[in-house]
Amino acid sequence: MAKKSGGERLPRGVYEEELYRLQVELVKLQEWTRASGARIVVIFEGRDAAGKGGTIQRITQYLNPRFARIAALPKPTERESTEWYFQRYVERLPAAGEITLFDRSWYNRAGVEHVMGFCTKEQYARFLHQCPIFERLLVEDGILLRKYWFSVSDEEQQRRFRSRLDDPLRQWKLSPMDLASLTRWEDYSRAKDDMFMMTDIPEAPWYVVESDDKRRARINMIAHLLSTVPYHKVKAPSLALPHRPASSGYVRTPREMQTYVLDQAASLWLRALRGGCAAHWCG
């Protein structure tokens, strides 16, 4: 059994330095993926507020969004609900040179759909039977599939929920379904255990990320992902800024003939000067 991560929060300075180093490696990973034609799928699962979204943001921060895509699917449409369950996820699998990060995935059926009664017992049983087969087919076809479960304690989850209630930037992260999960803690725990029992296969194992400390979780997950892919630095093309040619007589359009965005920042600067806090703002 893996040793549980330490309880102390990772210092910000240490975290930011290591995160930057890992993000440099992620850029190398993407360039290797493009050059080699590899296909990478990373699945992020876990309880609500476990830190999946923040980790995905740090992974993709410096990657080219044309080749590293986030798949966060909404509720199935009426038509999609009549399709083979995996069908709409297959449409978002990567082509050669691409990375797809699933912010929740086909495992919705083993989690929220099963616990909240959004699927039948027959659909749930069929999923548990088909999922390992489906994932073996992906791996057999050459896709590099990685599955991460973000594990958060009930106390920390409640603390994060409370912090979102009055936060205008994060209220959208709360939904009635999220709050309902608080009363179904043990149901979700049992569903997760059953899911692992059926889908933790050698070809596509589950990796558990302790996420009570978001900084530790991000560092640990990214470092592990990088360690599982045989990437290497790809030689970049030699680039140089071209010499700008001499002017051929172009005259810029007069400013008064164009509509400019209001300089809101100027009013903020004046407000800072009047308040005597310009030194702080300059920093």
Side-chain angles (χ1 to χ4, degrees):
M1 180 180 293
K3 184 179 179 181
K4 188 174 181 179
S5 58
E8 295 183 4
R9 192 179 188 191
L10 192 65
R12 178 176 295 277
V14 175
Y15 161 71
E16 291 180 346
E17 181 178 351
E18 179 62 7
L19 178 63
Y20 178 79
R21 186 189 72 81
L22 292 173
Q23 287 175 326
V24 170
E25 293 302 312
L26 285 169
V27 172
K28 294 179 185 177
L29 170 67
Q30 182 174 61
E31 291 308 302
W32 171 83
T33 302
R34 294 178 60 188
S36 65
R39 293 169 292 163
I40 300 177
V41 171
V42 187
I43 287 176
F44 293 79
E45 290 289 347
R47 295 182 187 272
D48 298 313
K52 302 178 295 296
T55 303
I56 292 172
Q57 289 175 10
R58 272 64 179 188
I59 290 175
T60 58
Q61 186 173 357
Y62 298 105
L63 300 184
N64 187 332
R66 294 185 179 88
F67 304 100
R69 299 187 177 93
I70 300 171
L73 278 62
K75 178 182 176 181
T77 65
E78 184 176 348
R79 182 181 187 279
E80 288 173 334
S81 64
T82 67
E83 297 174 347
W84 176 48
Y85 177 71
F86 295 95
Q87 188 167 332
R88 68 184 190 134
Y89 296 101
V90 169
E91 294 174 353
R92 290 159 176 83
L93 293 174
E98 296 178 349
I99 302 171
T100 300
L101 309 174
F102 280 95
D103 186 355
R104 296 202 179 279
S105 64
W106 43 85
Y107 283 100
N108 275 342
R109 175 136 295 176
V112 63
E113 290 190 17
H114 170 56
V115 172
M116 301 304 294
F118 296 152
C119 67
T120 66
K121 292 181 179 179
E122 291 75 15
Q123 289 173 325
Y124 171 67
R126 187 182 307 122
F127 170 83
L128 292 181
H129 169 69
Q130 291 185 350
C131 184
I133 300 172
F134 173 65
E135 292 181 353
R136 287 189 180 102
L137 290 174
L138 298 182
V139 174
E140 182 181 304
D141 201 60
I143 288 178
L144 301 176
L145 176 60
R146 303 293 183 265
K147 304 187 304 191
Y148 291 95
W149 177 271
F150 283 69
S151 178
V152 64
S153 66
D154 53 350
E155 296 87 356
E156 178 62 18
Q157 185 192 50
Q158 290 191 52
R159 188 195 67 79
R160 293 176 185 177
F161 278 164
R162 283 194 297 268
S163 71
R164 292 176 180 180
L165 285 173
D166 300 317
D167 187 340
L169 297 179
R170 298 190 297 166
Q171 283 179 342
W172 65 270
K173 289 188 173 185
L174 277 181
S175 69
M177 198 64 58
D178 297 331
L179 298 179
S181 68
L182 291 174
T183 63
R184 300 288 189 94
W185 181 271
E186 290 191 359
D187 294 335
Y188 274 102
S189 295
R190 294 188 184 96
K192 176 256 186 181
D193 291 343
D194 292 341
M195 180 184 79
F196 268 43
M197 183 180 299
M198 297 299 295
T199 63
D200 187 16
I201 57 177
E203 297 88 345
W206 277 105
Y207 298 105
V208 178
V209 181
E210 294 281 359
S211 63
D212 273 12
D213 180 351
K214 291 183 179 181
R215 295 173 186 170
R216 287 179 182 270
R218 293 164 187 167
I219 295 299
N220 293 338
M221 182 269 154
I222 297 172
H224 182 271
L225 173 63
L226 290 168
S227 74
T228 67
V229 180
Y231 75 98
H232 57 78
K233 184 176 182 180
V234 176
K235 185 177 180 180
S238 180
L239 300 175
L241 291 177
H243 176 70
R244 178 177 291 179
S247 174
S248 59
Y250 167 76
V251 178
R252 186 174 181 175
T253 304
R255 291 180 62 89
E256 58 270 16
M257 293 181 64
Q258 301 180 59
T259 303
Y260 283 81
V261 172
L262 179 66
D263 189 359
Q264 180 70 18
S267 64
L268 295 175
W269 177 245
L270 290 174
R271 188 189 310 168
L273 290 175
R274 295 191 188 102
C277 56
H280 170 72
W281 282 55
C282 285

